[in-house]
Structure formats: structure tokens, C-alpha cells
Amino acid sequence: MTDLTDQPDLVIRHGTVITATAIFPADVAVTGEQIVAIGHDLRGRREIDATGQYVIPGAIDGHVHLGMPIGRFTSTDDFFHGTRAAAFGGTTAVVDFVETGPEETMREALAARQAVAADTVIDYGLHMTIGPTDIAKLDQLAEARAAGCGSVKLYMAYGLRLTDGDLLLALQRAADAGAQPVVHAENWDVITTLIARNLAAGRTTPHWHPRSRPAELEGEATGRVIDIAAYVGAPVHIFHVSCAATVERIATAKARGLPVTGETCPQYLTLTDEVYDRPGVAGALPVCSPPLRPAADRDALWRALSSGALDLVTTDHCPFTAAEKATGLGNFSQIPGGVPSIESRLALVYAGLVGDGAPDPAALSRWVDVCCTTPARVFGFGRKGQLLPGYDADIVLFDPTRNFTITPDSLHETAGWTPYDGLPLRGWPTTTISRGEV
Ligand code: DUC
Ligand code: ZN
Ligand code: ZN
């Protein structure tokens, strides 16, 4: 009789392992929550046949807003539903946000947000938001970092925006605490002026949303925060890059040798600003900020992702229902901003980078790099993002031949609509393993 006691709990057999640097046939063995071996002819107490499938590290989505109150509404996917949808899409860790009330300490706010996040079904992290009232609390950053908050979110737009002086202070203290700054970079003064001018002229439809948030000024704000970060010697990660103007600023900074990274999101890679001209609420649904841009910007983002000018893809998943979006139909600036993408990111990026022909090995590795490996590094998941013994057993099986049409019913997101409705894809995740749990 075979003695099973020494065998791994689980072996994924006969798959093709794809990492950010290599592609090879191998079995992956898991015991408890960790990967214990990668090799050939491995046997386990439980086995999954991955013949014909890609075996990749669990994807990491470093920018989500789950059950987050924004303005009058709260984003529809709470931690349970949002992370469940993420898991169905091959994502095994997300990073959400903490906001500290004026009378609260960062530790108190962190504990409160962790309680909200308790029903997550995958691992998660939290960015510590530094708003204007938190500048007086920057000495708490080291403690927040020790409590597991490895990154700080800085806004250059909305009510939580910082002045350039406060940006400098926050960037400097984040660097001192060893925390990674992540930034929403737009020029708020220009945006509010353009919104007011457009509304005063009766230009109230979603068509005017991208025309109130110019790409050039997203690039300008990005360049400004990069320069401030460089002055104080801080790294900086630029959130949701939507346009070529911002890519250029990031590429220039990289060429200067600065520790600057940038992300984009599936909505900017897949959709263009023409969707804002759809009639009725259909034109309001894709309102997000920065806005969707013309096709030339979308194409520049794909090139930047392939070339390395952009480093990774997150979702900025922040869904609102159609009824909530419709409340802003008479005034585009009141439409709650954000779209759902948490479940389809991995497959959408696969479709764009790898496509449907004979797969290019470099493109396959780049896909894993931008969805899994680089996000783990930038967002501080030390034992995720790679398939190595000792790493968390966050593993995804992806079937490159599986046909999948995105519809609200084919997803587990709860907004009731998806910006990718009707999009046919070839390639979809079939199995997600989160710290050993299938
Ligand atoms: N833009 C943001 O900056 N955050 C949430 C959603 C959005 O569209
Ligand atoms: Zn943002
Ligand atoms: Zn966001």
C-alpha cells in the first residue's frame, strides 16, 4: 500500500508553468498554505490535472474600492462579494484603502477598516490615505507601517487632495517610514474650473466629463508629483494612468533613474471616450476618473505595458449601480465615479497582450509580470507573485482555449452591469487557489 503521509496535500500536474521570466512544463506541490516543490512526476494526496492549462501565480490587484463610501453612495461590492468575484477571475490578493477621521489615529482607522474587511475570501492589504487632516499625524506612519500598512495614498484631486507643500511633507515622511507612496495625479484646479465653465454653458451630459479632465493636465500633475518625490528622495507609484501624456512623464522619470512606477487599468486599455456619447444612463455608466480617452491613448497604454514604460495593471474597481449613476444625468460632475473590473482583469490583459494566435513566450511572461509579479513587489507582498518553494500557495490555472463572453450574468460582481458587456474572450481562469485553499 502507498504511504500517503509524506505526500504534499495537493499537486497540480501536467500544466505549463508561466513566470515573469520563464515558461516550462512542471508540477506544483502544495502543503498547507505554501508551495513546497516544483518539479516533475510529483504526487499528492489530492491532485488536479492541469493538462493544456497555464499555471501562474495568483494575480494581485493593488487598487480596489470595496464597500467604500464615496459621496452619497457606497461602492456596490463589499469585501465578501468583491473578493469572491476577484477569486473567480484569478486574483488572490487585493489592496483597498483606509481613511482616517479627523479625530482618529491611523491605528484606530486601520483597525476599523480591518473589521470591515474581515469577510474577505482572499488576502488583502490596505493603503493608508493621507488627507489634509492627516498631515499633522505623519509621525504615526511608522506605527501604521509596522501594523501592516506598507503604502500611503496621496490625492491631487477631490476633497482629500493635498497641496504641493503637503505632498512634499507626506512623501518625505513616507520615505522615512519605508512606505510606498501611491498617487492619484490630476490637476484639480483646472478640473474644477473646466467643470464650472461647462455647466454654466449648459454642457451637462457625460460627453463633457473627459472634456473637463484634460489628458495633458493629468500628465502635468504626474510630472509635478514625480519632481516633488525626486526632490525628497521618495519612490512614487502613479495610479490609473489613462493617457500617453502621463506615460511620457513616467518614461522620462525612469530614464532619469528615478524609482517611479505606473499602473493602468482594464477600462483604459479596453474602452474609449466615445462611450460617454451613448444615450441615457449608458453614457453615465463608464464615468470614472481619470476619464476614458481617445483610441490613440488606449493604444499608447498597450505599447507602454509591453515595453515596460508602465509596470502593472490594477482595476480601480469601484462599482455603482445604474440607478446610482443615473442620479448624475443632469450634471456629469455628480455621477458617482468608478467602474467594475475586478473579475475580468487577468483575462482582459491576457487578450490584449497575448491574444489568440500562437502565444509569444515574451508576451506570456509579460502578462504574468504585470498582473502578478510586479504588483507583489510594488505593493509589498513579499511571499506572493511568484511560484517558488516557500511562497504562498496562491496559484491560478488559466485555460487559453476557454471561450468566455463577459455579461453581468457571467460574472460574480454585483453592480448589475459591466463595461465589457458582450465582449467575447478566448482564455479564462478555471481554478483559483488561495493560500492552499482551492
Ligand atoms: N476614480 C477614482 O479616483 N477613485 C474611484 C473611482 C474612480 O473613478
Ligand atoms: Zn484615483
Ligand atoms: Zn481608486
Side-chain angles (χ1 to χ4, degrees):
M1 221 168 94
T2 315
D3 179 9
L4 294 178
T5 50
D6 287 341
Q7 291 196 343
D9 294 339
L10 171 69
V11 172
I12 301 152
R13 304 189 71 209
H14 306 311
T16 301
V17 169
I18 303 182
T19 75
T21 50
I23 299 175
F24 51 92
D27 303 335
V28 180
V30 171
T31 289
E33 298 185 351
Q34 287 192 349
I35 296 169
V36 290
I38 301 194
H40 293 288
D41 303 320
L42 304 179
R43 306 307 304 241
R45 287 199 287 242
R46 177 178 178 186
E47 296 178 345
I48 296 176
D49 182 11
T51 302
Q53 301 207 53
Y54 297 144
V55 181
I56 65 172
I60 293 174
D61 188 347
H63 183 171
V64 302
H65 302 270
L66 298 178
M68 177 162 277
I70 298 182
R72 292 166 292 160
F73 305 109
T74 298
S75 59
T76 59
D77 285 322
D78 60 16
F79 265 86
F80 173 71
H81 292 93
T83 57
R84 186 179 65 158
F88 271 105
T91 289
T92 53
V94 296
V95 191
D96 200 279
F97 297 84
V98 194
E99 288 176 14
T100 305
E103 307 304 327
E104 238 178 349
T105 66
M106 289 184 190
R107 276 299 294 272
E108 287 164 349
L110 180 56
R113 192 68 181 153
Q114 284 167 337
V116 171
D119 57 1
T120 182
V121 305
I122 55 176
D123 284 333
Y124 73 94
L126 295 167
H127 303 293
M128 177 62 69
T129 305
I130 305 294
T133 61
D134 303 313
I135 295 297
K137 305 175 191 164
L138 289 173
D139 57 355
Q140 297 174 20
L141 268 183
E143 197 188 355
R145 168 127 189 63
C149 237
S151 46
V152 299
K153 169 75 183 283
L154 310 175
Y155 283 95
M156 299 171 79
Y158 306 122
L160 288 171
R161 74 189 174 282
L162 300 178
T163 63
D164 289 351
D166 283 350
L167 274 177
L168 177 139
L169 295 175
L171 286 163
Q172 184 142 46
R173 296 299 284 273
D176 293 346
Q180 168 71 52
V182 299
V183 180
H184 178 128
E186 284 188 291
N187 186 317
W188 188 242
D189 278 353
V190 168
I191 289 168
T192 49
T193 300
L194 291 179
I195 289 174
R197 192 169 78 181
N198 284 327
L199 292 178
R203 300 191 283 244
T204 59
T205 62
H207 176 83
W208 296 98
H209 171 61
R211 287 156 184 83
S212 303
R213 305 181 89 110
E216 297 83 344
L217 277 296
E218 181 191 318
E220 177 275 331
T222 299
R224 183 158 30 104
V225 72
I226 286 173
D227 285 345
I228 297 170
Y231 178 68
V232 299
V236 66
H237 175 73
I238 306 299
F239 265 180
H240 44 44
V241 174
S242 75
C243 58
T246 303
V247 168
E248 279 167 29
R249 302 288 181 142
I250 294 171
T252 303
K254 285 175 187 271
R256 287 167 62 194
L258 296 173
V260 173
T261 49
E263 69 181 33
T264 188
C265 311
Q267 53 271 33
Y268 304 115
L269 292 164
T270 310
L271 307 169
T272 60
D273 59 356
E274 287 159 15
V275 296
Y276 298 126
D277 293 331
R278 289 175 180 163
V281 75
L285 293 179
V287 164
C288 57
S289 295
L292 305 171
R293 305 292 188 188
D297 286 299
R298 178 200 59 196
D299 297 346
L301 296 176
W302 280 116
R303 286 196 300 275
L305 212 51
S306 295
S307 72
L310 287 176
D311 301 272
L312 60 102
V313 180
T314 66
T315 59
D316 196 10
H317 180 81
C318 189
F320 296 95
T321 65
E324 289 165 345
K325 291 277 189 176
T327 61
L329 273 180
N331 175 346
F332 67 86
S333 74
Q334 296 301 307
I335 298 168
V339 300
S341 293
I342 205 167
E343 194 165 348
S344 36
R345 177 185 60 127
L346 187 64
L348 286 169
V349 177
Y350 177 85
L353 278 184
V354 182
D356 196 12
D360 166 22
L364 279 169
S365 282
R366 187 72 189 140
W367 167 57
V368 168
D369 199 358
V370 301
C371 290
C372 316
T373 309
T374 295
R377 179 172 55 75
V378 172
F379 301 119
F381 291 100
R383 292 195 315 186
K384 296 187 185 296
Q386 302 193 56
L387 297 178
L388 290 173
Y391 271 57
D392 287 349
D394 290 355
I395 304 164
V396 168
L397 275 57
F398 188 94
D399 183 350
T401 66
R402 180 157 173 213
N403 293 311
F404 188 95
T405 300
I406 300 182
T407 67
D409 289 340
S410 69
L411 300 174
H412 301 79
E413 299 167 353
T414 62
W417 64 279
T418 164
Y420 317 108
D421 201 350
L423 189 68
L425 295 174
R426 190 165 165 81
W428 192 261
T430 60
T431 305
T432 299
I433 300 167
S434 171
R435 271 200 280 127
E437 190 182 341
V438 180

